[in-house]
Amino acid sequence: MIRSVFRGGGSALPKNVVTNADLAAKIDTTDEWIMERTGIRQRYIADESETTATLAIEAAKKACEDAGIDGSTVDLIVLATATPDNTFPATATKVQDALGANGGIAFDVAAVCSGFLYALATADSMLRTGMAKRALVIGAETFSRILDWEDRTTCVLFGDGAGAILLEAQDGTEDGPGILCTRLHADGEHNELLYVDGGPSTTQTVGHVRMKGREVFRHAVVNLADVLNEVIETTGISADDIDWVVPHQANARILDATVRKLGIDPTKIVVTVDQHANTSAASVPLAFDVARKDGRIKPGDMVMFEAMGGGFTWGASLLRM
Ligand code: UT7
């Protein structure tokens, strides 16, 4: 049995921190409203020198270093983003070049906030079928570039950043480490609840994020609880077997409501939404990196990733460290 085994991780954040108070000085909002409705205290916003690729490259290099491998030996890079540096080529190819891993496979995945889960599932499938041996799975975003800074219902919610993990194909055993199960879903019927109002083939502009927040919230709790349940039932584990839940960081209230529905202890949720806000595809690997580096997530732990985003798209994945 070939398993995709976690070898190392890394993350990157822009230099500039923007607090709720900073935003309240510019737009009609308050620290209290943002904190109460979302749990967000601050977000990191890229400056002109920072792009999705520069953040992704920094995170990828740290993941290789953490794994103790030379970046040039990576033969697969799957990068999830909704804010690529260019419409094409894929931002993953910029990361590949920066690592000196030229010649392997590199491409981007577009599933917005669930992008990291989609990228993880893709890399896992390719590793297990022998197409590659060492994969970097990256979530990287500069969402600040597609925000309408006059729309207080969206601009206070998002931030920029990147996270990366290095997976390696290894001979595995039933109770050994690796990705145990991933489930993904999409439902295009809900395109209009969370989307960007521009693009190369329609407006020839990048557009701005538009969201019907309350409706997205409602769907998120139901879909996430369903997909988490699917992974739990497929693997035959119980809620108690999960050591950590590393969710997409959209809203502290969603995280709490989702795990409570499944009877998972809320103290097992890794929460970084207060620090990073919603960084779309970067939020899961960023949160994972924080909890690994501060010693919470340890070898042998069962870690559940979950995310939901525009499309709608959603998914969950169980990793034994
Ligand atoms: O990452 C992809 C997935 N995304 C999500 O999961 C996001 C899901 N949705 C949410 O997290 C929440 O729905 C929001 C945080 C976006 C909004 O919270 P809410 O409790 O659903 O508030 P609401 O949209 O129902 O708005 C409540 C009120 C409105 O005023 P009225 O109509 O009641 O007078 C808004 O105009 O809050 C007002 N409001 C604000 N007030 C101060 C909206 N944005 C702001 C703001 N500051 N920034």
Side-chain angles (χ1 to χ4, degrees):
M1 174 204 293
I2 298 178
R3 278 255 168 89
S4 306
V5 174
F6 173 79
R7 288 283 313 272
S11 61
L13 289 163
K15 291 181 286 296
N16 292 333
V17 175
V18 175
T19 64
N20 292 347
D22 294 333
L23 288 181
K26 289 190 199 139
I27 57 169
D28 181 16
T29 190
T30 59
D31 177 39
E32 294 71 35
W33 189 94
I34 302 171
M35 263 305 289
E36 193 183 302
R37 301 288 172 130
T38 70
I40 298 167
R41 288 179 189 280
Q42 61 169 47
R43 69 286 294 138
Y44 291 80
I45 301 290
D47 69 18
E48 278 170 16
S49 71
E50 295 161 325
T51 70
T52 295
T54 68
L55 295 168
I57 289 166
E58 187 184 334
K61 285 185 172 169
K62 287 181 182 166
C64 292
E65 202 182 304
D66 186 45
I69 63 122
D70 189 326
S72 66
T73 63
V74 171
D75 55 2
L76 170 64
I77 299 173
V78 189
L79 187 149
T81 190
T83 48
D85 278 25
N86 301 84
T87 304
F88 79 82
T91 303
T93 61
K94 292 195 174 190
V95 178
Q96 191 205 46
D97 191 39
L99 295 177
N102 311 63
I105 307 166
F107 58 97
D108 290 358
V109 161
V112 208
C113 299
S114 329
F116 184 75
L117 271 297
Y118 271 70
L120 190 67
T122 308
D124 178 37
S125 304
M126 293 175 82
L127 289 173
R128 284 190 292 112
T129 52
M131 285 187 75
K133 290 262 177 280
R134 270 185 182 165
L136 268 171
V137 184
I138 305 170
E141 302 276 15
T142 42
F143 236 63
S144 61
R145 305 264 156 79
I146 54 167
L147 295 175
D148 174 353
W149 288 98
E150 288 179 0
D151 175 9
R152 69 174 184 171
T153 68
T154 52
C155 75
V156 302
L157 305 173
F158 296 91
D160 302 333
I165 66 168
L166 190 107
L167 296 175
E168 196 165 62
Q170 289 181 6
D171 282 333
T173 53
E174 202 54 56
D175 51 5
I179 295 175
L180 306 184
C181 175
T182 305
R183 290 291 178 267
L184 302 175
H185 295 281
D187 184 355
E189 193 192 333
H190 302 295
N191 270 189
E192 82 293 349
L193 295 181
L194 175 51
Y195 66 104
V196 164
D197 62 3
S201 188
T202 50
T203 58
Q204 294 82 55
T205 61
V206 292
H208 291 120
V209 175
R210 304 294 173 207
M211 176 166 73
K212 296 202 171 82
R214 200 177 296 184
E215 281 152 83
V216 176
F217 190 112
R218 197 166 47 80
H219 284 279
V221 176
V222 174
N223 291 344
L224 288 170
D226 283 354
V227 75
L228 284 169
N229 220 1
E230 214 181 323
V231 172
I232 289 171
E233 279 179 5
T234 308
T235 50
I237 61 161
S238 77
D240 287 344
D241 294 328
I242 300 168
D243 294 297
W244 295 103
V245 180
V246 183
H248 170 51
Q249 311 283 323
N251 184 320
R253 290 186 294 142
I254 296 181
L255 312 188
D256 211 54
T258 307
V259 300
R260 278 183 197 281
K261 240 174 152 213
L262 296 172
I264 301 172
D265 176 358
T267 62
K268 292 179 173 178
I269 314 174
V270 176
V271 181
T272 52
V273 67
D274 55 331
Q275 298 299 309
H276 302 155
N278 180 347
T279 57
S280 182
S283 87
V284 170
L286 259 171
F288 177 64
D289 203 48
V290 167
R292 261 192 73 240
K293 300 278 160 70
D294 70 17
R296 272 179 285 175
I297 298 178
K298 292 185 268 314
D301 279 357
M302 291 278 249
V303 180
M304 183 76 93
F305 300 114
E306 48 110 310
M308 144 103 186
F312 291 141
T313 54
W314 65 102
S317 182
L318 186 65
L319 169 73
R320 189 184 287 117
M321 296 289 292

